[in-house]
Amino acid sequence: MAKPTKAASTPTRPQGEPAAPALDNALADHQPGGIATSHKDAAGNAGELHQNAAEGSPPAAYLTDNFGHRIADNQNSLKAGARGPTLLEDFILREKIFHFDHERIPERIVHARGSGAHGVFEVTKAIPELTKAGLFQKKGTTCPVFVRFSTVAGGAGSVDTPRDVRGFAVKLYTDQGNWDLVGNNIPVFFIQDAIKFPDLVHSVKMEADRGYPQAASAHDTFWDFIGLMPESLHMIMWAMSDRAIPRTLRMMEGFGVHTFRFVNAAGEGKFVKFHWKPVLGMESLIWDEAVKIAGADPDFHRRDLFESIDAGSFPAWDLGVQVFDEDFAAAQPYDVLDATKLIPEEDVPVQIIGRMTLNRNVDNFFAETEQVAFLPTNVIPGIDFSNDPLLQGRLFSYLDTQKSRLGTTNFHQIPINAPKCPFHNMQRDGLMQTLVPTGRANYEPNSLDEAGEPNGPRACPATGFSSFEANAERNDPTEKVRVRAELFADHYSQARLFFRSQTDSEQAHIASALVFELSKVSLEHVRTRVLSRLRNVDETLARRVADGLAMPLPEAAPAAREPVEMKPSDALSIQKNAKATFEGRKLGILFAEGSDKATIDKLKADVEAAGGSVFLVAPKVGGLQVKGGTLKADGKLDGSPSVMFDAVASVLMPAEAEKLSKQGAAVQWFMDAYGHCKTIAHCNGTKVILEKAGIEPDEGVLPNEQLMKVGPARHFAREPKIRDLA
């Protein structure tokens, strides 16, 4: 009989020599991120970058989970087929997101700075043929809602107007339970797979060694990550566009981001994407305006939302859906399960099915806005999930993170989170249990009713939530793989589509934003890599950014999948969809002693009749003697800069205008309005200030009498004369 061989890992030592002492548990060698390693780059199935440890590397070079298990793939979650749902057994994904969810207490890790309001949703078009959701069975059906808007990167104490994605989370309290449509103001996202979310957020947050910058993406680690993640380029086009600096929360779109499913009473399913379209139309800030507002009023968006609702000017959004079937999805040059892609409205028009109106401010910011907990898993019968790998990860992450933030599994009992329909189950106890269940029935099945005792609630197959049965979606569910579907490899076609759908000035804003952000990146190789990616988006864009940075244009980065040309979409442009209306807008009127009150009163009445509001600005805030009486200002000139208003007007006597022309605050008031391409209405007396401010007449610089004809439009034809654009 052959002698058994000793395992290779068994240590050998001379007979009689004592064994080495056991290792202590001090984690002395545990230095995550603190070592330099070598690696080899490889491309995945969808062109994603894999950085694999080189063979023969020391043990510290290998990526592991928190228990020392080496990780083979840190780019893809484990799915049942390349286009299938994410598997619960993926302990790597679960540990990574579990740890990420609990990194910060008590504020949210992302979306920490938020603004909330209550309202109502009303169905304007019934769609029973598409979904069995009770909410959409009859026109006129209503339900309460709570909405939380937020920035993503900054902390709770940051400012409202950074260049950032805005969260757009809606909780609809339906009679079938809560439906949380948790989205953003941009329809696509940076990453394709949820396993990369902790890496994305770590890169954009304050740099780990220095704790800054706050609420900003213009720094090394973010752009290093972006340069290595070509799938992010489409989202970068949106983030560098004016969409990332909305004028107000009331004037931005919202999106569900992911592809969901509608399921009707017959069990038939179709894909659906959700859109929120502001009734006031879209409008954005100019970057210089956003920076100055951050200094003038860090709470600009929060204040605007609160004051608008408080004044009875209720913001509203129409809910629209894009509905399509598997045949349409299979025919597209992109994958509808890819969260970095959108479906052009020209291909699938958005049909409006409801309207949401926010009509009540919160009573207590902490109790409501801060404690509200949104869960993508909160859906109602008739609305279901797709196999989008980013969505699949969110279905786990949100519920997990509430335990850390709110301290208890009973967070659903907090009033802002509680459904407004009955809820009954066998769950009991837990920290901060506020309900008092009675009886012994805390399990089922049970037969306590046979003894005359309450036996508790039971399942209801007929009306309860049941998942859509089909799971084909061009997928082989018998495979368990860490891989992305091949169509996920096209990272540039839709980025090109977005850029080429913009107006000339919007394209200039994107190029200028890229120049600004990359100028803050100190690592030259990172800037070079991003430029190489931009060449795959648009050659002119790449050259403009390179020229703005005074850098040579590098070779284009290899594309994992060659981009395809897509027809430009006007729906992607803010300027092409602008509304030159005073509804929901604010006019700032500058006046001083001796100003004509009748002129001011007429301007105010005209704007208010058009649905706008007026803010009176003067050198002093007390009552000033004017022609026709006394007038009090709403704000002092040096504390009410023109960045706070959508358009400005002035009613000044020549002598007072001459005095103000010597004050920097007054000259800057008009210079900023002109530089931000706003309408400037004025009287003859104001001309001395306009001349000192270097303001040239154009279609947006006009007498007060013509203000209502032009409205608060932005005059972007002015822009090349007043600032350098990339």
Side-chain angles (χ1 to χ4, degrees):
M1 182 185 232
K3 294 177 66 176
T5 56
K6 186 181 293 185
S9 59
T10 303
T12 59
R13 57 186 173 85
Q15 188 172 4
E17 198 170 289
L23 296 176
D24 65 26
N25 199 33
L27 301 179
D29 296 324
H30 182 61
Q31 295 291 335
I35 55 173
T37 63
S38 60
H39 60 265
K40 292 183 178 180
D41 291 351
N45 198 52
E48 74 275 13
L49 176 64
H50 293 250
Q51 293 184 331
N52 301 320
E55 292 184 14
S57 296
Y62 294 96
L63 186 68
T64 74
D65 65 9
N66 283 335
F67 297 94
H69 309 120
R70 291 185 181 180
I71 295 173
D73 186 340
N74 191 41
Q75 308 302 316
N76 298 290
S77 52
L78 186 65
K79 297 178 281 291
R83 303 181 75 254
T86 301
L87 297 175
L88 189 61
E89 71 180 69
D90 189 351
F91 63 91
I92 296 171
L93 168 71
R94 289 169 57 206
E95 181 193 88
K96 189 174 181 181
I97 291 189
F98 172 79
H99 192 281
F100 172 75
D101 286 344
H102 299 277
E103 283 181 2
R104 303 279 193 279
I105 56 172
E107 73 175 37
R108 291 166 169 87
I109 299 173
V110 288
H111 298 277
R113 182 172 180 80
S115 306
H118 297 271
V120 63
F121 176 78
E122 180 178 3
V123 175
T124 56
K125 179 183 178 182
I127 50 172
E129 73 281 4
L130 295 176
T131 175
K132 62 184 179 182
L135 181 63
F136 295 112
Q137 299 308 297
K138 184 179 179 181
K139 179 180 177 180
T141 302
T142 64
C143 72
V145 300
F146 184 81
V147 180
R148 187 178 188 272
F149 305 106
S150 56
T151 55
V152 174
S158 57
V159 298
D160 278 355
T161 59
R163 179 176 296 280
D164 199 358
V165 185
R166 297 308 192 280
F168 196 121
V170 182
K171 186 181 292 290
L172 298 97
Y173 302 92
T174 83
D175 58 8
Q176 293 180 297
N178 291 356
W179 173 28
D180 292 356
L181 187 52
V182 194
N184 291 327
N185 73 323
I186 292 175
V188 293
F189 203 62
F190 292 98
I191 52 173
Q192 296 174 326
D193 194 302
I195 201 170
K196 299 309 298 173
F197 192 70
D199 298 305
L200 166 68
V201 176
H202 285 168
S203 77
V204 76
K205 281 285 191 176
M206 298 178 291
E207 297 198 2
D209 61 342
R210 61 204 68 184
Y212 65 85
Q214 171 72 272
S217 55
H219 58 99
D220 288 356
T221 57
F222 175 72
W223 284 99
D224 181 42
F225 181 81
I226 294 302
L228 295 168
M229 298 286 288
E231 68 201 62
S232 298
L233 262 290
H234 186 200
M235 182 65 170
I236 285 297
M237 293 297 103
W238 288 78
M240 295 301 108
S241 79
D242 296 342
R243 298 271 186 157
I245 43 175
R247 175 69 185 169
T248 72
L249 301 173
R250 300 175 292 121
M251 299 170 191
M252 68 181 188
E253 290 186 323
F255 303 90
V257 179
H258 306 286
T259 297
F260 292 87
R261 279 192 181 276
F262 272 153
V263 183
N264 64 18
E268 300 163 336
K270 287 192 175 181
F271 290 120
V272 59
K273 282 184 172 286
F274 295 103
H275 298 243
W276 293 106
K277 292 189 174 291
V279 173
L280 292 176
M282 287 184 291
E283 190 168 335
S284 291
L285 298 169
I286 291 172
W287 176 239
D288 180 70
E289 200 175 10
V291 172
K292 288 176 177 174
I293 288 175
D297 185 0
D299 306 302
F300 180 71
H301 283 162
R302 181 175 288 178
R303 189 187 312 279
D304 173 86
L305 180 68
F306 185 94
E307 291 182 350
S308 295
I309 295 173
D310 198 47
S313 180
F314 300 141
W317 288 261
D318 288 326
L319 177 62
V321 292
Q322 287 178 298
V323 181
F324 54 97
D325 57 21
E326 177 65 27
D327 290 340
F328 172 87
Q332 303 313 302
Y334 52 87
D335 199 313
V336 300
L337 302 185
D338 180 353
T340 70
K341 306 297 189 293
L342 57 79
I343 298 175
E345 293 185 28
E346 289 78 4
D347 294 346
V348 180
V350 175
Q351 56 173 310
I352 302 301
I353 60 173
R355 174 166 291 191
M356 175 176 69
T357 304
L358 300 183
N359 54 19
R360 181 167 68 87
N361 283 310
V362 299
D363 293 314
N364 183 276
F365 180 87
F366 178 81
E368 297 169 281
T369 306
E370 198 58 25
Q371 288 197 127
V372 66
F374 293 92
L375 303 174
T377 46
N378 274 351
V379 293
I380 56 179
I383 298 171
D384 207 343
F385 314 114
S386 73
N387 291 342
D388 174 347
L390 181 61
L391 173 61
Q392 292 280 317
R394 293 180 74 198
L395 300 180
F396 164 77
S397 178
Y398 279 65
L399 180 62
D400 174 66
T401 200
Q402 305 308 337
K403 173 62 172 68
S404 177
R405 285 197 58 248
L406 300 173
T408 172
T409 57
N410 290 314
F411 67 88
H412 62 283
Q413 296 178 21
I414 298 173
I416 193 65
N417 296 320
K420 299 187 185 301
C421 63
F423 66 99
H424 305 284
N425 54 51
M426 303 297 186
Q427 297 170 19
R428 296 290 188 271
D429 307 336
L431 184 66
M432 297 300 294
Q433 174 60 254
T434 62
L435 303 179
V436 185
T438 58
R440 293 191 289 174
N442 62 353
Y443 62 95
E444 68 91 21
N446 69 63
S447 61
L448 297 180
D449 58 321
E450 296 179 20
E453 297 184 36
N455 63 345
R458 294 295 187 272
C460 182
T463 60
F465 182 87
S466 55
S467 297
F468 183 64
E469 293 183 0
N471 187 34
E473 296 187 11
R474 291 171 285 139
N475 176 65
D476 181 0
T478 64
E479 297 179 307
K480 288 199 300 185
V481 292
R482 289 189 185 274
V483 70
R484 299 188 195 184
E486 290 182 7
L487 269 184
F488 278 52
D490 181 0
H491 305 312
Y492 301 110
S493 295
Q494 292 210 352
R496 179 181 298 177
L497 163 68
F498 180 78
F499 182 74
R500 294 183 179 176
S501 298
Q502 309 302 300
T503 64
D504 289 345
S505 65
E506 287 174 314
Q507 290 183 355
H509 293 170
I510 293 172
S512 298
L514 284 162
V515 170
F516 173 83
E517 296 258 329
L518 292 173
S519 71
K520 298 289 187 179
V521 174
S522 63
L523 304 174
E524 185 173 349
H525 75 277
V526 172
R527 298 197 302 268
T528 299
R529 183 183 293 119
V530 174
L531 287 172
S532 73
R533 303 286 190 200
L534 291 177
R535 293 195 70 173
N536 291 322
V537 176
D538 185 90
E539 187 70 20
T540 302
L541 171 63
R543 186 165 299 282
R544 290 167 73 170
V545 176
D547 289 346
L549 295 168
M551 291 180 63
L553 196 58
E555 292 293 322
R561 189 183 184 94
E562 285 301 313
V564 298
E565 295 296 332
M566 301 180 69
K567 185 179 179 181
S569 169
D570 286 347
L572 303 181
S573 165
I574 293 176
Q575 292 181 19
K576 293 176 184 177
N577 295 280
K579 293 183 178 181
T581 172
F582 265 111
E583 185 179 359
R585 274 74 172 177
K586 183 180 291 186
L587 174 70
I589 301 179
L590 177 62
F591 76 99
E593 289 186 1
S595 294
D596 185 17
K597 185 174 183 294
T599 300
I600 296 172
D601 288 345
K602 186 175 189 315
L603 285 171
K604 188 172 186 291
D606 288 346
V607 170
E608 290 177 347
S613 61
V614 169
F615 190 95
L616 299 181
V617 180
K620 300 176 181 179
V621 293
L624 297 180
Q625 292 300 315
V626 296
K627 181 182 177 182
T630 302
L631 199 59
K632 287 187 176 181
D634 298 308
K636 193 170 180 289
L637 174 60
D638 55 6
S640 306
S642 62
V643 292
M644 313 295 287
F645 314 117
D646 299 287
V648 299
S650 60
V651 181
L652 299 168
M653 294 297 288
E656 290 298 318
E658 184 69 35
K659 291 180 185 177
L660 288 175
S661 71
K662 298 178 174 61
Q663 295 187 21
V667 176
Q668 193 67 45
W669 203 80
F670 288 99
M671 285 182 66
D672 278 347
Y674 186 70
H676 300 149
C677 304
K678 294 177 181 176
T679 297
I680 301 174
H682 61 86
C683 62
N684 286 330
T686 307
K687 289 183 178 179
V688 63
I689 307 178
L690 301 184
E691 290 172 0
K692 188 164 185 179
I695 294 175
E696 300 176 5
D698 60 25
E699 74 283 353
V701 180
L702 42 85
N704 285 325
E705 295 76 20
Q706 298 178 22
L707 172 63
M708 299 309 296
K709 294 181 181 179
V710 175
R714 296 275 186 160
H715 307 278
F716 288 107
R718 181 191 301 165
E719 199 165 19
K721 298 186 298 184
I722 54 180
R723 68 171 57 87
D724 290 331
L725 293 168

